[in-house]
Amino acid sequence: MTKICVIGLGYIGLPTASVLATHGFDVTGIEVNQAVIDGVRKGKTDINEPGLSLIVKAAVKSRGLRCQAEAIEADVFIICVPTPINQNKAADLSYVIRAGEVIAPMIRKGNLVILESTVPPGTTKTVLQPILEASGLIAGQDFYLVHCPERVLPGNLLNELIQNDRIVGGIDEASGQMAKRIYETFVEGNIYLTDAATAEFVKLMENTYRAVNIALANEFAMIAERIGINVLDAIELANKHPRVKILRPGAGVGGHCIPIDPWFIVEKAPEISKLISTVMRINEKMPEHVVSLVKDAFSEAGKDINGSKILILGIAYKGDVNDARETPATPIIKSLKDLGAETVIYDPLVTHFSMKIEKDFKKAVAGADALVIVTDHSEFKNMDLATAMRLMKEKPILIDSRNLVAKADGFVFRGIGR
Ligand code: SAJ
């Protein structure tokens, strides 16, 4: 039976390891966080993803998936570690480097190493390959090496893991073919072979394309506010054109991909990535814009932000996930606190955050001056605004940065692009 060692059991590693384990592979997950190891050993995960708990449980129960801190010898190594950015907006490859160092002593002739983490173009060959070759074995001669970027959408992760096409970038043709054989055991989409640097660039282009389109929607929203047009109506009508698909404006971009990955392109060619860096700044400034809507509404209501109570509805980086990484709520909360407001957070899904999360909506809303919707959780679409209003102070304010609320009678209201 083919032995696979997955390095990093996070949002990508755990689902990938579990799917491989339920497709006949003997999988060992390597994880630095002891709490994750303990959880997975019991078949449990904190990641709120449809179907994930079930498949983790099945993988562990069938003994196809084990979990431990130390790497082991295997036929295939799959690296699924984070690649954040540092203060200079450059890729922090320390986790990839560490993963390579952990694998190097374990590597044997004929093994395959797959890097799934998102990285700047060139990383597989110029950073990972030399670390692996410290083993004394030569890539392309003694072992196979590819970059196969993950492309799954949080919220629909397991479906996309199976159904999406995959891009396999080998350091040579044989490496690509070897990796293809692994992925085609569970992927129902097409598998395309290319070289490693192209695969790295393709992944970054995908998330940059998304960032550009979100920034465009955000810019349209701010222009619409200035000229007195409802951007939602305008977007709906523009999208009736067969080749136009404008996205939704919002409080900004969060998560571990869209606010980060496009900077990996800028890092490689800063003087010719002007569009991309501008787009990133537009998205980064959206929380500031939300705060300006709050100020505007307080002024219309004749209330002072200083000393007020503001309820933040949602800190997840997007709707219906429990992940608050890089959430636009963080800069919004900071600015409101700087203005003297007491901020209270309500989020039905997120459990881990740097600030206290209130889980009882009525308790959270009691005595609030303003509600600020930051996340498009489904729960907020059907919010009982009449009850909220009864529990709030006089002249209640509602800021809807995700355009969830169609009517807000009785509130001093501001919505992005409205
Ligand atoms: N957002 C908007 N308006 C929109 C769509 C999204 O403001 O119309 C915001 C969301 O609220 C969120 C951020 O953008 O804060 C990112 O959300 P997302 O759903 O666009 O993307 P992610 O970060 O959850 O997942 C992306 C996906 N990439 C693409 O769709 C090109 C996913 O397929 C990738 O696998 C993932 O990044 C990744 O891991 O790279």
Side-chain angles (χ1 to χ4, degrees):
M1 194 191 277
T2 305
K3 279 177 105 172
I4 300 186
C5 188
V6 177
I7 321 292
L9 288 188
Y11 288 83
I12 303 302
L14 183 58
T16 304
S18 307
V19 166
L20 286 164
T22 54
H23 281 74
F25 293 101
D26 175 8
V27 185
T28 303
I30 310 303
E31 176 51 53
V32 289
N33 183 338
Q34 189 58 42
V36 172
I37 298 178
D38 296 341
V40 172
R41 282 180 177 164
K42 291 182 202 139
K44 288 188 178 153
T45 172
D46 278 350
I47 303 170
N48 178 45
E49 197 58 56
L52 183 61
S53 292
L54 268 180
I55 196 165
V56 171
K57 210 167 271 165
V60 172
K61 224 173 159 191
S62 68
R63 297 181 194 281
L65 175 63
R66 281 173 306 281
C67 187
Q68 60 187 60
E70 309 78 30
I72 51 152
E73 287 186 15
D75 304 298
V76 181
F77 296 89
I78 307 182
I79 302 173
C80 301
V81 296
T83 42
I85 39 170
N86 61 27
Q87 279 138 335
N88 303 323
K89 309 254 186 228
D92 169 0
L93 294 176
S94 53
Y95 298 98
V96 173
I97 291 169
R98 183 74 200 115
E101 288 167 350
V102 161
I103 294 170
M106 300 295 155
I107 223 171
R108 301 289 174 263
K109 258 184 170 246
N111 283 177
L112 163 66
V113 180
I114 301 172
L115 175 62
E116 284 212 10
S117 311
T118 307
V119 290
T123 303
T124 305
K125 263 189 100 76
T126 61
V127 178
L128 184 58
Q129 184 174 328
I131 296 170
L132 298 172
E133 288 181 339
S135 60
L137 301 177
I138 308 291
Q141 182 184 307
D142 301 316
F143 68 94
Y144 305 97
L145 176 60
V146 306
H147 176 56
C148 179
E150 59 85 8
R151 306 171 101 191
V152 289
L153 187 74
N156 190 31
L157 202 149
L158 279 175
N159 283 336
E160 295 207 359
L161 193 59
I162 308 284
Q163 277 153 20
N164 285 3
D165 293 348
R166 297 296 292 244
I167 312 298
V168 173
I171 57 141
D172 57 10
E173 173 72 22
S175 293
Q177 292 293 352
M178 283 294 282
K180 188 174 181 217
R181 262 175 245 149
I182 300 295
Y183 285 103
E184 65 194 5
T185 59
F186 69 91
V187 170
E188 288 172 10
N190 298 316
I191 297 171
Y192 298 99
L193 298 189
T194 182
D195 61 87
T198 303
E200 289 161 338
F201 194 49
V202 166
K203 166 70 193 186
L204 299 178
M205 286 166 78
E206 291 164 6
N207 280 352
T208 301
Y209 175 86
R210 187 111 175 124
V212 169
N213 283 288
I214 294 168
L216 183 62
N218 285 335
E219 193 160 280
F220 281 152
M222 289 186 288
I223 295 166
E225 282 170 26
R226 172 87 55 94
I227 58 181
I229 286 170
N230 183 328
V231 83
L232 297 181
D233 295 343
I235 289 176
E236 195 183 331
L237 293 172
N239 284 349
K240 303 282 182 205
H241 185 287
R243 283 176 297 284
V244 174
K245 179 78 189 80
I246 300 168
L247 295 179
R248 290 178 69 83
V253 293
H256 215 57
C257 312
I258 308 291
I260 294 170
D261 303 349
W263 288 118
F264 295 178
I265 296 183
V266 177
E267 178 187 345
K268 285 285 164 184
E271 64 305 338
I272 47 171
S273 333
K274 297 258 180 347
L275 172 68
I276 302 172
S277 44
T278 302
V279 152
M280 297 300 275
R281 304 274 180 221
I282 291 170
N283 288 333
E284 282 172 3
K285 277 196 163 293
M286 289 315 288
E288 218 175 273
H289 183 65
V290 174
V291 173
S292 76
L293 294 179
V294 176
K295 285 183 188 163
D296 208 29
F298 267 81
S299 141
E300 186 188 318
K303 302 215 255 189
D304 204 344
I305 296 186
N306 191 7
S308 68
K309 174 179 167 181
I310 300 182
L311 176 59
I312 304 296
L313 292 175
I315 45 158
Y317 81 90
K318 68 174 186 177
D320 301 332
V321 302
N322 70 344
D323 184 353
R325 289 178 299 173
E326 315 293 328
T327 172
T330 302
I332 292 173
I333 292 168
K334 184 180 179 309
S335 296
L336 294 176
K337 279 187 170 165
D338 289 348
L339 292 168
E342 177 208 347
T343 54
V344 176
I345 298 167
Y346 172 78
D347 191 298
L349 298 178
V350 177
T351 47
H352 304 299
F353 194 58
S354 53
M355 286 169 253
K356 183 179 177 237
I357 305 165
E358 182 57 66
K359 290 290 174 189
D360 180 336
F361 180 73
K362 284 191 177 160
K363 210 166 139 194
V365 81
D369 292 282
L371 310 178
V372 180
I373 300 176
V374 177
T375 306
D376 45 349
H377 283 316
S378 298
E379 182 177 313
F380 300 153
K381 291 177 192 156
N382 310 309
M383 206 172 18
D384 181 359
L385 284 176
T387 303
M389 193 190 290
R390 266 200 306 280
L391 295 168
M392 292 173 73
K393 289 213 185 99
E394 266 182 27
K395 298 246 175 104
I397 292 168
L398 174 58
I399 311 297
D400 183 2
S401 73
R402 296 289 175 181
N403 286 314
L404 300 187
V405 176
K407 267 177 88 190
D409 293 342
F411 283 91
V412 174
F413 178 80
R414 292 288 182 282
I416 291 267
R418 286 153 81 181

